[in-house]
Amino acid sequence: MSLPQTLSLNALAHIRDRFAMREIGAPYKTLTSAFGQVGEIRVFTGEAVAKMVYISMAVPQFGLDSHMIFAFTPSGSPVPHFTLDSVLNAPDFAFHLDLIPRLDMGANLAYMDYCFGPLTETYEAAAQIEGLKPAKLGPRQYAIMSPWMLVYRANESAFEAIQAPVSAYLEHWAGLVEQGIPSDVTEGASAESLAERDRRNRGIIFNPSVDKVWAQVDRLLGAETSAQMREILIKQTVESL
């Protein structure tokens, strides 16, 4: 397996097994293009982690090997979502690692400190890994994620070194899922308000005008398949076969 695939599948297996998630379909959908079968969408469901979506795309002709995980906590939960992108776009690697906040951190200091403060040391250490270069994201993309987001291009040795921060972020997030968020940290946020914010936030994260990568997916897989992928990621309910 490639380095991005190994990193992604290890994280996927950890979440699936730790939270007893079951897979819907095997896979949920295969992805095809003019180059034949180029990837798949896998969907998992559970209780503590309501929905996990894994999308892989590999096109050797382009030097592309891309793997994306979004692990979504229940829509009414304040526990952040977890996301990991790991990519080879030959000859360079890239990755995106984050916990997606469920509350406005500019107005919820206790939530920010509780959910994200413990990541600071890892965040700062990761930024010092030799061979990393900041990825080119627009300010709107930074605004809808967390300030602890790690998003870089990398050479091979740097990409190998990111296993440590990925493991640290994943372990911290899993602890939040298992322990929950104290009510005094969420400052009275209701399940309904959390679900509505989540609905709006997902709609922005996966909006093609915000994330230009969807234009590339359109070209590779076709607009219809690309739209279906976004729908699966945006929708709070779990797909059925």
Side-chain angles (χ1 to χ4, degrees), residues 9 12-13 15-17 20-28 40-47 49-55 69-72 232 237-239:
L9 290 182
L12 179 80
I15 297 169
R16 179 198 62 204
D17 296 345
M21 303 189 75
R22 64 177 180 86
E23 187 166 4
I24 299 171
Y28 180 78
E40 61 185 12
I41 302 173
R42 299 175 67 185
V43 178
F44 302 79
T45 186
E47 294 186 8
V49 180
K51 180 177 179 178
M52 179 165 61
V53 180
Y54 166 76
I55 299 175
I69 296 172
F70 275 88
F72 299 106
I232 291 170
T237 56
V238 178
E239 283 67 25

Side-chain angles (χ1 to χ4, degrees), residues 148-206:
W148 281 262
M149 175 174 63
L150 293 169
V151 55
Y152 288 95
R153 299 186 184 280
N155 60 27
E156 185 170 346
S157 63
F159 191 85
E160 291 175 336
I162 69 165
Q163 178 62 65
V166 169
S167 296
Y169 271 53
L170 181 55
E171 184 62 29
H172 173 67
W173 171 78
L176 293 176
V177 173
E178 291 169 343
Q179 298 162 19
I181 310 295
S183 58
D184 60 336
V185 170
T186 62
E187 301 186 22
S190 67
E192 292 76 17
S193 66
L194 288 163
E196 175 59 16
R197 184 194 182 280
D198 181 54
R199 183 190 68 80
R200 294 164 64 94
N201 185 230
R202 288 201 213 183
I204 296 171
I205 290 172
F206 304 112

